[in-house]
Amino acid sequence: MNKLRTVIVDDHPIVIEGLKNLLSHETNLEILKGFCNGNELLGFLKNNRVDLILLDITLPDISGIDLCLMIKEISENTIVIVLSNHTERSIILQTIQNGASGYLLKNSSLHELRNCIAGALEGNICYSREVIEIISRPSKNGSDSHLKLTRREKQILALLAEGKTSRMIGEELFLSSLTVDTHRRNLIRKFGVKNLAELIMSAVKMGLI
């Protein structure tokens, strides 16, 4: 099995070392380096293949939110998962809009991080339990006037944004996985996007989630 070439970015060296130690026994990861600022990461990324970046939001030179976009411009296939103490809904959704595949708080368990990495590899957007609770709260200024969605489509869109699979959504809504997949395809068609990640980004921009 090819290991994921992984980089950790955090403004605290002790956090980087802690994550290195925590992840050192993960059989699917190869920890390449740790960086304390964004510019060093970008320089490394231009000359090295990186499959996975564990990224903090607060950095001394570049916001992790903006860094997500810069990473994707250099290496579109690199998976970015945010590890942060920021709990603001707007920050969480902005990082996803900018290309992150997941968002976890730093008090998340190793189990949650493993699940998030596995989900991201399958093309899903993944969150820790606490983050799901935060983004599930109704948006204060959200509006669905931009696009006409059925009640069921709104339900499924919200659950997809929480990182849930078709099987999980089907169980929650008492639908078959095939029915959920059909709704998912219809949502992608309605939004005029190519995949789930673009669907979530578009829905965030419209204030639908």
Side-chain angles (χ1 to χ4, degrees):
M1 180 179 66
N2 292 327
K3 293 188 175 185
L4 295 173
R5 292 166 58 85
T6 304
V7 165
I8 301 166
V9 186
D10 195 286
D11 62 331
H12 293 100
I14 194 169
V15 172
I16 293 174
E17 291 306 312
L19 281 170
K20 282 182 179 178
N21 291 333
L22 184 67
L23 299 173
S24 62
H25 300 297
E26 297 298 301
T27 56
N28 63 332
L29 302 181
E30 176 190 357
I31 309 299
L32 301 179
K33 289 183 75 70
F35 297 103
C36 290
N37 66 67
N39 280 312
E40 287 183 358
L41 166 70
L42 294 174
F44 182 80
L45 193 58
K46 288 175 182 176
N47 300 301
N48 298 272
R49 193 192 95 231
V50 177
D51 302 313
L52 172 66
I53 297 174
L54 302 179
L55 177 66
D56 190 15
I57 291 293
T58 305
L59 299 171
D61 55 348
I62 306 171
S63 162
I65 300 172
D66 296 329
L67 196 53
C68 285
L69 274 178
M70 297 176 187
I71 290 167
K72 288 296 182 177
E73 287 173 359
I74 296 172
S75 179
E76 184 180 356
N77 294 325
T78 297
I79 294 171
V80 180
I81 293 177
V82 174
L83 283 172
S84 173
N85 284 324
H86 286 283
T87 59
E88 295 90 338
R89 187 178 191 272
S90 59
I91 290 178
I92 295 168
L93 295 179
Q94 186 66 50
T95 61
I96 301 302
Q97 183 178 326
N98 284 3
S101 294
Y103 196 109
L104 297 92
L105 300 185
K106 286 186 176 178
N107 62 358
S108 300
S109 66
L110 178 58
H111 177 70
E112 285 183 302
L113 179 55
R114 283 177 183 149
N115 285 344
C116 192
I117 292 171
L121 285 171
E122 294 177 359
N124 297 321
I125 308 294
C126 304
Y127 309 100
S128 61
R129 178 183 53 79
E130 285 188 57
V131 172
I132 289 174
E133 292 174 1
I134 293 167
I135 64 173
S136 296
R137 298 168 192 157
S139 175
K140 292 178 181 177
N141 57 359
S143 171
D144 61 3
S145 61
H146 304 75
L147 200 65
K148 296 298 181 183
L149 301 178
T150 66
R151 180 181 61 84
R152 183 67 82 192
E153 284 173 340
K154 291 175 185 177
Q155 286 178 317
I156 290 174
L157 179 61
L159 294 170
L160 287 170
E162 293 175 15
K164 294 184 177 178
T165 64
S166 293
R167 180 184 59 79
M168 294 165 67
I169 294 171
E171 290 174 356
E172 187 164 332
L173 299 180
F174 303 103
L175 301 170
S176 71
S177 295
L178 289 175
T179 299
V180 176
D181 284 337
T182 299
H183 283 296
R184 178 169 164 164
R185 285 194 297 272
N186 287 340
L187 282 166
I188 287 173
R189 178 182 53 78
K190 276 191 176 184
F191 279 78
V193 294
K194 298 175 184 175
N195 52 45
L196 177 60
E198 289 186 7
L199 173 64
I200 302 302
M201 290 179 201
S202 183
V204 169
K205 287 180 181 177
M206 293 181 181
L208 293 170
I209 55 176

